């Protein structure tokens, strides 16, 4: 979807693309609803990046947002930016369905410990996919490993857990998307990982109450060896393998 959805009535921001989804509660400081209806809009990823850049350099403390059916206007201090909205209905309910209420496995880590493990495992991962594997055993001990891409690079890193419960789990994922999330947090914060199996997105719990889902990658499967070619027969000769059926 490559955009950010603003649910003004509920105070929720949803951002997503093909690999990850982030949901963040964001209650407004003040809502002016007597001048018209309250809209919920989605803006494109490039426009969202421009808003983030504007806020980094803005001098104001609060962000004012005005919206209608076709545009959203962001103002902070002296900076003002208008963004066109996406056409059509943003499937926020379908996206929120990625976040189940009950998980089979829950693990907590200190951010610095998990981020260090992801970075070390990523060094040995395949350059094209960046795929690493997280294994959590029944005692909630976790290990991050690079998925060997046939280049002889292997390595695993034990990651100290701060707690956990549930079943053992194993899932492959793209290290970049986990690292991009963890890089935004303080090293001493505690982050929760929740899993429902290797074929479902796994969820990071943001310390402020938000959620960040990373899509799983397919489990590694060995490539079957090609069948040997039958030997060439001489003229007028019936090979043994053909005579045998």
């Amino acid at each position: 979807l490559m955009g950010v959805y603003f649910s003004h009535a509920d105070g929720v921001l949803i951002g997503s693309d093909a690999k990850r989804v982030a949901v963040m509660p964001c209650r407004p400081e003040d809502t002016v609803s007597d001048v018209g209806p309250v809209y919920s809009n989605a803006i494109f990823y490039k426009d969202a990046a421009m808003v983030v850049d504007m806020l980094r350099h803005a001098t104001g403390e609060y962000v004012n947002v005005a919206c209608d059916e076709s545009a959203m206007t962001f103002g902070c201090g002296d900076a003002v930016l208008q963004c066109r909205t996406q056409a059509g209905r943003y499937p926020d309910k379908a996206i929120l369905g990625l976040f189940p209420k009950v998980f089979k496995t829950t693990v907590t880590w200190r951010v610095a410990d998990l981020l260090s493990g992801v970075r070390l495992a990523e060094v040995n991962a395949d350059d094209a996919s960046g795929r690493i594997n997280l294994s959590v055993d029944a005692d909630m001990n976790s290990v991050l490993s690079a998925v060997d891409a046939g280049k002889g690079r292997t390595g695993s890193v034990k990651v100290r857990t701060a707690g956990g419960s549930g079943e053992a789990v194993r899932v492959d994922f793209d290290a970049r998307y986990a690292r991009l999330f963890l890089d935004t947090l303080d090293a001493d914060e505690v982050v929760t990982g929740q899993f429902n199996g290797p074929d479902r997105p796994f969820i990071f719990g943001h310390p402020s109450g938000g959620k960040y889902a990373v899509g799983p990658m397919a489990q590694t499967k060995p490539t079957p060896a090609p069948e040997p070619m039958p030997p060439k027969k001489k003229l007028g000769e019936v090979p043994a393998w053909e005579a045998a059926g």
Side-chain angles (χ1 to χ4, degrees), residues 39-244:
Y39 292 95
S40 291
N41 305 92
I43 61 175
F44 293 93
Y45 170 78
K46 291 183 179 179
D47 291 336
M50 292 174 61
V51 174
V52 172
D53 187 62
M54 179 196 77
L55 296 178
R56 285 174 178 161
H57 300 91
T59 57
E61 184 178 358
Y62 292 96
V63 182
N64 298 311
V65 181
C67 58
D68 56 27
E69 294 179 346
S70 60
M72 290 186 66
T73 303
F74 298 85
C76 187
D78 297 331
V80 177
L81 181 63
Q82 188 176 60
C83 307
R84 66 188 179 96
T85 59
Q86 293 185 20
R89 181 172 176 80
Y90 194 91
D92 54 319
K93 291 184 179 179
I95 289 174
L96 292 175
L98 292 172
F99 302 93
K101 296 180 179 179
V102 179
F103 293 88
K104 294 181 180 179
T105 308
T106 299
V107 186
T108 55
W109 301 275
R110 181 171 165 266
V111 169
D113 296 334
L114 181 58
L115 181 58
S116 175
V118 169
R119 285 173 173 165
L120 289 173
E122 190 179 14
V123 170
N124 294 311
D126 176 43
D127 294 334
S129 69
R131 183 191 297 184
I132 63 176
N133 167 260
L134 172 67
S135 299
V136 180
D137 63 22
D139 295 325
M140 298 297 108
N141 300 312
S142 53
V143 176
L144 286 160
S145 306
V147 176
D148 190 2
K151 298 181 180 180
R153 294 184 298 188
T154 59
S156 61
V157 183
K158 293 183 179 180
V159 182
R160 182 168 166 266
T161 54
S165 61
E167 305 173 6
V169 69
R170 178 181 185 273
V171 61
D172 290 358
F173 62 93
D174 192 323
R176 291 170 294 179
Y177 298 115
R179 178 169 45 79
L180 285 171
F181 168 72
L182 295 171
D183 276 333
T184 66
L185 305 178
D186 293 334
D188 291 329
E189 288 183 311
V190 175
V191 65
T192 301
Q194 295 175 304
F195 308 87
N196 261 351
D199 58 341
R200 292 293 307 274
F202 67 88
I203 315 300
F204 284 121
H206 194 279
S208 66
K211 295 180 179 180
Y212 180 84
V214 178
M217 302 183 75
Q219 297 288 337
T220 306
K221 296 182 180 179
T223 304
E227 296 182 2
M229 293 293 292
K232 293 182 179 180
K233 65 177 181 178
K234 296 180 181 179
L235 185 62
E237 178 186 3
V238 179
W241 63 268
E242 188 175 325

Side-chain angles (χ1 to χ4, degrees), residues 8-42:
H8 305 290
D10 300 328
V12 174
L13 307 180
I14 305 175
S16 69
D17 57 22
K19 298 289 185 181
R20 53 196 167 147
V21 177
V23 175
M24 184 65 63
C26 188
R27 289 289 176 186
E29 185 73 18
D30 187 22
T31 302
V32 180
S33 58
D34 56 349
V35 296
V38 176
Y39 292 95
S40 291
N41 305 92

